[in-house]
Amino acid sequence: MEKRTELYRGKAKTVYTTDDPERLILHFRNDTSAFDGEKVEQLERKGMINNKFNNFIMAKLEAAGIATQTDKVLSETETLVKRLDMIPVECVVRNYAAGSLVRRLGVTEGQELTPATFELFLKDDALHDPMINESHAVVFGWATAEQLAQMKTLTGRVNEVLKQLFDDAGMLLVDFKLEFGVDANGTIVLGDEFSPDGCRLWDKETRKKLDKDRFRQGLGGVVEAYEEVAQRLGVSL
Ligand code: UDP
């Protein structure tokens, strides 16, 4: 597999083309960003941890019958993925109130949400990823109603699989964000990554934060927390 040109540089990952038009390479960098890129730091080892963590989670989801973009690990920080036409809509599921939900609605952080909530956000940095609803996505052509229905179903299945996985390892899966794309056959496939950069994880007993909120809130020990999550799940680093 030959790495060709840089296709896209995001805040934490760079995407490269390869000699296979159906395959891309995701490079997980150490860059850690928050507040729409206002706060950026290099955190040693984070790229490697997130690459391995993501592959571990995607393999669990594949085993549960959920199609993902991941193909195979290429190096400590690089993974080969299937090329998808990405849908510019982020799907967020919440099992406990935190983050923007608390800020927006004034509800109590940590309140259990049953059933889990489901929200859509437009992936647009310039607009600060505004919250949207299904009719916006459909009328502006970001996704069809059928695609949105599938994304919602798949997100719910991911939640069921991962809630249990983290619970077994003594953690609460508070919330997370997923992105989907369409493959060459027109099938909706889970894309992007699943790592502590894009989810909230709390220790079940102490509710200690083990995710990117440590970076957002300047709590320190960010990489140590990511390593702890990986170690509790049995991800070999
Ligand atoms: N999230 C993300 N990327 C984004 C926005 C949110 O990965 O651009 C994740 C975030 O880490 C959290 C969940 O989605 O696990 C819900 O985020 P929220 O809406 O609470 O926003 P935030 O508090 O991160 O601004």
Side-chain angles (χ1 to χ4, degrees), residues 73-97:
V73 181
L74 294 178
S75 73
E76 291 273 285
T77 57
E78 291 171 310
T79 291
L80 189 68
V81 298
K82 293 162 207 148
R83 188 177 194 130
L84 300 179
D85 199 2
M86 294 304 289
I87 293 171
V89 173
E90 299 182 338
C91 298
V92 170
V93 167
R94 301 176 193 270
N95 296 306
Y96 294 86

Side-chain angles (χ1 to χ4, degrees), residues 17 20 23 25 40 73 102 141 143 145 147 155 163 173 202 216:
T17 58
D20 179 346
R23 290 288 182 279
I25 292 174
V40 183
V73 181
V102 169
Q147 289 172 336
T155 303
K163 237 179 11 182
L173 177 57
W202 295 347
R216 293 189 189 96

Side-chain angles (χ1 to χ4, degrees), residues 96 104 108 132 176 207 218:
Y96 294 86
R104 214 169 47 234
T108 310
I132 57 169
F176 62 89
R207 298 216 165 184

